[in-house]
Amino acid sequence: MAGLLLAGAVFADAPIRLNTHQQAPLSFRKDNGAADGLAVQVVQCALKQLQRSYTIAFLPWPRAQWQVQHQQADAFFTATPSAERDGYAVLSASILPYERRWYLLKDYPLSPSSGDFKLQARTAAFNGSNMDDWLREHGYQLTSTPPNSEQLVRMLLNHRVDAILGNAYVVDALIAKMGVQEQLRSELAQSLPFGVYFGKAFLARESPQFLTQFNHAVQTCRAK
């Protein structure tokens, strides 16, 4: 019994192992190596309120999720809900409002809301995102899944695809940075919750109130 209590104490004191990926302005490393970004700030604020230590690793998005699925990390963010993720993790309260948007060249003649678009348009989304799965499941012509949003935008500008489906925070920032606003247009695809997926194995080791407390802290941090 003493051994079990000691093991529980070790788990409770261990830093929460968080995974994310490089996608400014949501999550990125500053020049000094510190994690920052709109999503990172909310997560850090919430865990500070709970007085919990943590680490943040920046990984390719598929690997960030795989590690949580295989109990090599405790949570990943920032993520939208999916049935696959729900199998091994639980999504927190929304840490930010989120829009998933279509991006197209201004002179592309079709709208994503048209039936012809689904049949004809060459589309792309970055690898490991819910967006590439969503395109497949809904019958779009998914032709490429590059590893990040910057490559998505460049593919669109180079006419390698007709439309990309992207995270509005990230793609809008990239378009502004590249100075190509006049070449592109966008249309809303979906508004979704955007949260932290905590692994079920991690939650099983935690207090039953952990996720409730984290969600409450998130609401307080979002209000700041």
Side-chain angles (χ1 to χ4, degrees):
M1 179 64 72
L4 289 174
L5 291 173
L6 179 60
V10 169
F11 277 128
D13 293 335
I16 300 173
R17 301 167 298 173
L18 300 165
N19 285 350
T20 189
H21 61 135
Q22 187 82 10
Q23 54 168 7
L26 292 172
S27 49
F28 58 90
R29 286 205 180 278
K30 298 192 289 189
D31 291 342
N32 64 4
D36 200 1
L38 298 174
V40 170
Q41 291 169 12
V42 175
V43 173
Q44 289 176 325
C45 173
L47 292 176
K48 183 178 181 180
Q49 285 196 25
L50 299 185
Q51 299 184 332
R52 293 296 301 269
S53 62
Y54 59 89
T55 62
I56 298 178
F58 284 78
L59 300 170
W61 194 226
R63 185 179 170 201
Q65 299 167 77
W66 184 91
Q67 284 196 347
V68 174
Q69 185 176 10
H70 293 85
Q71 300 180 37
Q72 295 179 16
D74 300 317
F76 61 88
F77 72 97
T78 303
T80 53
S82 79
E84 179 182 0
R85 293 166 177 170
D86 289 342
Y88 60 88
V90 180
L91 188 63
S92 74
S94 177
I95 62 175
L96 290 168
Y98 169 65
E99 287 186 354
R100 178 181 290 173
R101 299 189 72 88
W102 290 105
Y103 294 86
L104 312 93
L105 293 170
K106 276 198 173 174
D107 60 359
Y108 186 70
L110 299 178
S111 167
S113 60
S114 72
D116 287 342
F117 178 89
K118 181 178 285 191
L119 296 174
Q120 299 176 21
R122 299 167 301 162
T123 67
F126 78 82
N127 184 39
S129 67
N130 268 351
M131 291 172 283
D132 65 359
D133 289 336
W134 187 87
L135 288 169
R136 289 189 186 94
E137 291 167 1
H138 289 79
Y140 290 90
Q141 306 304 308
L142 179 64
T143 59
S144 185
T145 55
N148 57 58
S149 294
E150 182 174 357
Q151 289 190 31
L152 275 179
V153 175
R154 295 193 182 281
M155 289 178 67
L156 181 59
L157 292 169
N158 292 330
H159 298 266
R160 292 176 57 193
V161 294
D162 300 312
I164 61 174
L165 191 59
N167 176 326
Y169 285 105
V170 177
V171 179
D172 286 349
L174 283 169
I175 290 171
K177 181 180 178 181
M178 298 165 72
V180 295
Q181 298 95 319
E182 296 304 313
Q183 300 179 48
L184 303 175
R185 61 186 173 91
S186 74
E187 293 185 25
L188 178 65
Q190 289 178 297
S191 296
L192 297 165
F194 215 7
V196 180
Y197 258 113
F198 288 98
K200 290 182 177 178
F202 165 77
L203 292 174
R205 300 194 301 265
E206 288 290 316
S207 158
Q209 297 303 311
F210 170 82
L211 190 56
T212 299
Q213 292 169 349
F214 179 83
N215 288 341
H216 178 75
V218 161
Q219 300 307 318
T220 302
C221 292
R222 280 191 57 174
K224 289 184 177 180

